[in-house]
């Protein structure tokens, strides 16, 4: 039962989003359909929060490469934020004063992005999380491109390149973790195998740090933060809202899963990786705040504020303590 509900939460908006341009609905019918799905998603994710922890295997590509999903405290929190955040923004898009060009296209990728984000939220291992992480980028990039101006094209490409570049760094870390650490599904506290990591601690810490920086690109962590102040001003307001409020948190979720559910805090506590992570977070907080203070364009100011505020979360995580995590 829980498995079906989780898959429904992930696949329903993606299937409807993909079908929406083909249905050619009128404006009223489209708004009722999209609004109904967004409300159903919010209620479904809320109901899932009342159910016990569960994990299940969907299918296996190889013995180690498996697509699995997991319901736990982290997935409950992030899925609630995503589902209930997408709903009011979607309703606002119905009355967006400038009227979205190619509305079917916008709602198509808006729903696809929601499904991809929920796929990340309910991911049960790093492979599933990484695939959904890439899908979030591919589904949300057209939202930045929606105005079809030269400026929006450049901003969308910058978002795409930064996100894919960050994902490539994260993928390198995932390769090493799977090869040397015996990781399969997420385990609270981490699942590093000391027998496999013995003698490889230096290289593993390097790739973990690169993965943090790579996933941090989505969260606006310096030095891969530049896409946010470029993409936000040119994207329609509904797209900017979900990019800032929710999609940027996809990077936070990926880092949480990798550090606290795969690597483990003991492996990084007191090392140069923790110090570098702390330093980058504090630098991003300060830089984002100062750039927001100096910026005159409101949407750019909000973008720099997002860079700064999300890094407060990353700074807390970098402390690698239970109190900071909570």
């Amino acid at each position: 039962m829980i498995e079906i509900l989780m898959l429904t939460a992930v696949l329903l908006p993606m299937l409807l989003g993909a079908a929406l341009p083909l249905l050619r609905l009128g404006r009223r019918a489209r708004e009722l359909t999209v609004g109904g799905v967004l409300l159903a998603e919010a209620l479904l994710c809320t109901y899932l929060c009342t159910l016990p922890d569960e994990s299940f295997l969907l299918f296996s590509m190889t013995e180690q490469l498996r697509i699995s999903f997991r319901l736990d405290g982290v997935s409950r929190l992030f899925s609630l934020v995503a589902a209930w955040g997408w709903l009011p923004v979607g309703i606002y898009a119905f009355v967006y004063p400038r009227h979205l060009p190619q509305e079917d296209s916008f709602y198509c990728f808006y729903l696809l992005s929601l499904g991809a984000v929920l796929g990340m939220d309910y991911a049960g291992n790093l492979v599933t999380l990484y695939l959904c992480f890439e899908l979030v980028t591919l589904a949300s990039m057209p939202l930045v491109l929606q105005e079809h101006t030269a400026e929006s094209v450049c901003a969308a490409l910058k978002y795409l390149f930064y996100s894919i570049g960050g994902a490539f760094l994260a993928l390198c870390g995932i390769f090493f973790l799977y090869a040397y650490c015996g990781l399969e599904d997420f385990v609270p506290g981490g699942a590093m195998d000391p027998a496999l990591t013995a003698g490889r601690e230096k290289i593993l810490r390097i790739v973990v740090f690169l993965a943090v920086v790579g996933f941090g690109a989505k969260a606006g962590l310096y030095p891969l933060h530049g896409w946010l102040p470029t993409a936000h001003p040119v994207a329609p307001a509904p797209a900017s809202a979900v990019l800032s409020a929710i999609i940027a948190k996809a990077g936070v979720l990926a880092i949480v899963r990798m550090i606290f559910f795969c690597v483990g805090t003991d492996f990084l506590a007191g090392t140069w990786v923790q110090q570098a992570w702390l330093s980058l977070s504090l630098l991003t907080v300060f830089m984002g705040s100062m750039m927001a203070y100096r910026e005159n364009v409101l949407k750019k100011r909000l973008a720099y504020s997002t860079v700064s505020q999300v890094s407060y979360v990353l700074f807390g995580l970098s402390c690698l303590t239970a109190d900071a995590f909570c």
Side-chain angles (χ1 to χ4, degrees):
M1 179 63 177
I2 298 178
E3 296 91 336
I4 295 174
L5 292 176
M6 277 196 283
L7 285 177
T8 301
V10 174
L11 294 178
L12 177 61
M14 299 181 77
L15 292 174
L16 177 63
L20 203 56
L22 303 175
L23 297 176
R24 298 186 179 277
L25 300 174
R27 170 168 290 187
R28 179 63 62 183
R30 180 177 56 240
E31 291 176 356
L32 288 173
T33 302
V34 173
V37 169
L38 293 176
L39 178 59
E41 287 290 299
L43 296 175
L44 178 55
C45 290
T46 302
Y47 177 67
L48 280 168
C49 289
T50 66
L51 301 179
D53 290 1
E54 182 69 46
S55 61
F56 70 95
L57 174 67
L58 186 61
F59 65 89
S60 297
M61 295 177 282
T62 67
E63 185 177 344
Q64 279 193 311
L65 300 181
R66 307 185 304 167
I67 303 300
S68 65
F69 292 92
R70 176 187 183 89
L71 179 64
D72 61 8
V74 173
S75 62
R76 290 186 184 94
L77 172 63
F78 279 88
S79 63
L80 269 182
V81 171
W84 284 103
W86 239 263
L87 176 61
V89 175
I91 293 173
Y92 170 69
F94 299 154
V95 294
Y96 184 52
R98 293 195 305 182
H99 298 298
L100 295 165
Q102 299 184 359
E103 292 184 59
D104 278 342
S105 172
F106 174 84
Y107 291 119
C108 166
F109 291 106
Y110 187 75
L111 292 174
L112 285 172
S113 299
L114 173 58
V117 168
L118 290 175
M120 274 194 69
D121 296 339
Y122 293 123
N125 57 30
L126 281 176
V127 170
T128 310
L129 184 140
Y130 174 78
L131 292 176
C132 292
F133 185 86
E134 291 280 38
L135 188 56
V136 168
T137 298
L138 297 176
S140 58
M141 187 270 285
L143 297 178
V144 180
L145 190 61
Q146 193 67 27
E147 299 289 345
H148 295 286
T149 62
E151 190 179 8
S152 67
V153 171
C154 292
L157 288 175
K158 187 172 184 178
Y159 170 50
L160 181 66
F161 294 153
Y162 271 61
S163 297
I164 289 181
F168 176 76
L169 292 178
L171 183 60
C172 292
I174 292 172
F175 280 151
F176 272 84
L177 291 176
Y178 267 74
Y180 296 117
C181 304
L183 297 178
E184 294 184 358
D185 295 331
F186 293 139
V187 176
M192 294 274 277
D193 187 341
L196 293 175
T197 59
R200 301 187 177 95
E201 290 84 359
K202 289 185 179 180
I203 185 64
L204 285 173
R205 288 192 177 105
I206 291 173
V207 298
V208 168
F209 175 69
L210 291 177
V212 168
V213 173
F215 281 135
K218 189 75 75 183
L221 181 68
Y222 181 88
L224 298 178
H225 66 286
W227 68 270
L228 269 161
T230 303
H232 276 240
V234 301
S240 294
V242 293
L243 280 169
S244 176
I246 303 170
I247 291 178
K249 309 306 186 293
V252 175
L253 172 62
I255 291 173
V256 167
R257 288 300 197 187
M258 186 182 65
I259 300 300
F260 293 90
F261 288 80
C262 289
V263 176
T265 58
D266 292 340
F267 186 72
L268 300 178
T271 67
W272 68 268
V273 177
Q274 183 185 22
Q275 313 243 339
W277 185 6
L278 281 164
S279 300
L280 284 179
S281 299
L282 288 175
L283 175 62
T284 309
V285 167
F286 179 77
M287 179 208 63
S289 298
M290 291 301 99
M291 294 300 292
Y293 176 75
R294 292 168 53 88
E295 184 56 61
N296 293 322
V297 178
L298 177 60
K299 290 184 76 174
K300 275 196 174 183
R301 177 175 291 181
L302 292 174
Y304 280 118
S305 176
T306 297
V307 170
S308 176
Q309 298 302 316
V310 175
S311 282
Y312 276 107
V313 179
L314 295 178
F315 171 73
L317 295 175
S318 67
C319 295
L320 302 178
T321 63
D323 289 340
F325 180 79
C326 295

